[in-house]
Amino acid sequence: MNSLLLAAVGVAMILAGYFLYSKFLAEKIYALDDSIPTPAHQLEDGIDYVPTNKYVLWGHHFTSVAGAAPIVGPAIAVIWGWVPAFLWVTIGTVFFAGMHDMGALWASIRNKGQSIGALSGRYIGARGRNLFLVVIFLLLLMVNAAFSVVIANLLVSTPTAVIPTWGALLVAVLVGQAIYRFKWNLPLVSVVGVVALYTLILIGDSNPLALPETMMGLPDRSVWIILLFVYAGIASMLPVWMLLQPRDYINGLQLFIALGILYVSVLIARPEIVAPAFNSSPPEGTPSIIPLLFVTIACGAISGFHGMVSSGTSSKQLDKESDARFVGYFGAVGEGLLALGSIIATTAGFATLTDWEATYNAFGQGGVVAFVQGGGTIIEQGIGLPQSLSATIMATTAILFAATTMDTGVRLQRFVVQEIGEIMGVSLGKIVATVIAVGVALALTFGAGADGSGGMLIWPLFGTTNQLMAALTLSILAIMLMRRRRSPLPALIPLVFVAFMTLYAAVIQLGTFWDTQNWLLLVIDVVIIVAAVWVIVEAVSAMRTARDYPGDDDAELRELSVAQIAIGLDSPAPHEDTDAGHHHQRHRGDQPPTRD
């Protein structure tokens, strides 16, 4: 099959989901209402609660949730054939991911910007909330530890990406100043930022940088991991407008340009897909496609991490409720397009089936390397960029996205640590909580040795835990919809499917960990299964109660909103943010005002 046809069908399906299904969800299911002020206005503090232009926030949200996972998952899953991967990415994006991501935003903004973990306490119960936090903590631990190793490996294997990777931080800081302090025109800032970033890519391609193989007794990969965690810890404590927002916004534009380059190259070169549509003879040791396909491709179809970002950071920056459709659902669309690009790059970027089979000679092979090599080949054939520059563009794209997920992950982990501290009666400041979050992730990363290989030890459980988190988030959405007398089916159908497939996969993994005597993963898997099943049982009980709920959860909020709007939202009372564990006040005078 020609890759151009696959790209055209996939893009059409995903965009149709945004223009049709997301509109139905926004109007009929979530009933987004701009007359209700968002937490970004009610609790504005210039640090976490910042009303933000929806295009800037989309860039921040999209790049935070995307990371390397929508590249890695599909790039591994094509070993079963490109058709199953294609169907799960397209159908999952339209009916699962978009509904889930926009729903998590809606749920949080209707509850003062509270995280999904905090919402579980209100809608499922205190016991469910505590179990929820266990799953969240483990998932964030996996994200931070594993992504640090993925980025470090790419920096070592592709030294041409070092300059654009770190230079992008300076570009982001300058973009943040231009938007918020100097009030530059957003399109102008966008053009200048993207030009600066691609200039760095050109410079990096001509000037590869590599650390010495050993520094202070540590291999180069370990030094990169430490530097990445130092960066992520600092970035997680800075006001979002200063680094994270502009960095993610520019990275989002860069990704769409990179995807545009890839798709235009497909249009020009029209490479044939050499991988099998259905692989009837996968390499020995490849697990069954059902249920493993649905946890191997998490980000790009549906991902619990998205709900954590939506409710943990993005909901605190949403300017008005209707923006949730663009930020949440279109954020899922962007990730679906990235996953589709990964499928095309890893199935049509090889000259022959023999070449493809040489790369995919065992389960878990391919991944980012296949994406970079295959995508680089297609770009070279299409628009004629040199192979080295093409590979640098693809590698930089993967690194920047993984890094944005990592720094957001550390920020969310800090919130979770503070929330756990509250439950235990201990008040933890921002710095202390950040040190704990970074310290635990570093301990896991280096737990298996100085090379940092421990960060990948936990990877087999990442997809499973991620999908269980999505199922738990969908259960909260279903309960909220029931209490508002709206149809819960858009949440319930994905919930049942994802919960069944993911628990099935988790049970299968138990046997694998037992056979290989991997006791660490075995214990963690058991904890995750018990916690998830318990929360689901509690959620089902809450759903039964929700059917008889006497009123509309939004009624009191809507009455309050009218009163607040009448006084211009000038004097809202301080409200305790259960995510961060401290009181947020109105926007401080020493912070740059937000841009509409």
Side-chain angles (χ1 to χ4, degrees), residues 55 194 301 340 479:
Y55 299 104
V194 169
L340 177 61
I479 293 168

Side-chain angles (χ1 to χ4, degrees), residues 246-268:
R247 166 181 165 82
D248 294 351
Y249 174 62
I250 291 298
N251 286 353
L253 294 178
Q254 189 268 341
L255 170 72
F256 262 77
I257 292 172
L259 281 179
I261 291 173
L262 178 61
Y263 282 117
V264 168
S265 298
V266 170
L267 176 63
I268 296 173

Side-chain angles (χ1 to χ4, degrees), residues 226-241:
I226 294 172
L227 290 174
L228 286 165
F229 271 111
V230 170
Y231 153 73
I234 295 172
S236 70
M237 291 187 289
L238 292 174
V240 290
W241 67 267

